[in-house]
Amino acid sequence: DAGVIQSPRHEVTEMGQEVTLRCKPISGHDYLFWYRQTMMRGLELLIYFNNNVPIDDSGMPEDRFSAKMPNASFSTLKIQPSEPRDSAVYFCASSDPGTGDYGYTFGSGTRLTVV
Amino acid sequence: GIQVEQSPPDLILQEGANSTLRCNFSDSVNNLQWFHQNPWGQLINLFYIPSGTKQNGRLSATTVATERYSLLYISSSQTTDSGVYFCAVNYGGATNKLIFGTGTLLAVQP
């Protein structure tokens, strides 16, 4: 398996622009997570899905953030409009607890810079 | 909410040395994982270990759930072990939802 695939790896955008981050989980994994990492706040959970359904979005910072999972192999995290304080590394992870192992597999992350 | 504390915050080792990293958590958990974030930023899952002991090569981990701590042992450290080690536990009544500690920054010198 190619693992969890995120795109783009790096994104530089201007304040006010829309940003879309993409994630392809490992095939067969039924949980998908979006995390954000910053120096100040560390790794924080934004939202997670089970079988394509959003379960908990309490970590989404504000209405400017939205996430979708239209099918089992694709998810997006969108920021509209983007602000400089959104600059961070955004990680996607997936897991398959049905195997008895809740271990997460992370993607390589998207480094977002909003100028 | 649950608190996750890792110690030490940073550690410098000579290649070949052994080390023990600790993770304390403030409430009962049924999901605990250790991760390594390498200098390129990649997060690698080392162990899913809600209780008991596991070993994988030079790494091993032990979780004593009743006493609310977990230990990660690194033996015969190599420069490639450098990076940040995170402990994460479940919270909010959901087994699969993790909160991360602040990490231990490890530097292994040749």
Side-chain angles (χ1 to χ4, degrees), chain B residues 20-57:
Chain B
T20 301
L21 281 55
R22 186 177 180 102
C23 172
N24 291 332
F25 42 97
S26 61
D27 205 348
S28 59
V29 301
N30 49 22
N31 184 351
L32 186 147
Q33 299 183 35
W34 283 96
F35 296 87
H36 174 220
Q37 187 167 36
N38 65 24
W40 296 269
Q42 179 67 39
L43 279 158
I44 306 298
N45 190 295
L46 299 175
F47 295 103
Y48 161 67
I49 184 166
S51 63
T53 297
K54 288 186 177 180
Q55 180 155 8
N56 185 1

Side-chain angles (χ1 to χ4, degrees), chain A residues 3 25 33-34 43 53 56-57 64 67 76 92 108 113:
Chain A
F33 308 86
W34 284 100
L43 277 156
V53 176
D56 187 336
D57 65 355
R64 298 183 297 105
T76 59
C92 175
S108 298
T113 303

Side-chain angles (χ1 to χ4, degrees), chain B residues 10-93:
Chain B
D10 43 69
L11 185 60
I12 300 175
L13 297 176
Q14 291 298 120
E15 205 167 21
N18 303 327
S19 62
T20 301
L21 281 55
R22 186 177 180 102
C23 172
N24 291 332
F25 42 97
S26 61
D27 205 348
S28 59
V29 301
N30 49 22
N31 184 351
L32 186 147
Q33 299 183 35
W34 283 96
F35 296 87
H36 174 220
Q37 187 167 36
N38 65 24
W40 296 269
Q42 179 67 39
L43 279 158
I44 306 298
N45 190 295
L46 299 175
F47 295 103
Y48 161 67
I49 184 166
S51 63
T53 297
K54 288 186 177 180
Q55 180 155 8
N56 185 1
R58 295 181 297 103
L59 303 181
S60 64
T62 295
T63 297
V64 184
T66 53
E67 297 187 19
R68 300 182 183 171
Y69 73 89
S70 184
L71 302 174
L72 179 69
Y73 305 96
I74 306 174
S75 65
S76 304
S77 57
Q78 300 176 358
T79 56
T80 52
D81 296 330
S82 297
V84 182
Y85 289 81
F86 291 103
C87 167
V89 303
N90 67 297
Y91 71 108

Side-chain angles (χ1 to χ4, degrees), chain A residues 48-89:
Chain A
Y48 76 97
F49 296 82
N50 179 212
N51 290 323
N52 313 338
V53 176
I55 303 300
D56 187 336
D57 65 355
S58 59
M60 296 286 261
E62 16 186 311
D63 292 346
R64 298 183 297 105
F65 286 69
S66 62
K68 294 181 179 179
M69 192 164 186
N71 58 62
S73 59
F74 184 65
S75 177
T76 59
L77 178 68
K78 185 176 294 187
I79 308 172
Q80 166 63 19
S82 56
E83 296 182 3
R85 60 194 167 118
D86 301 331
S87 297
V89 181

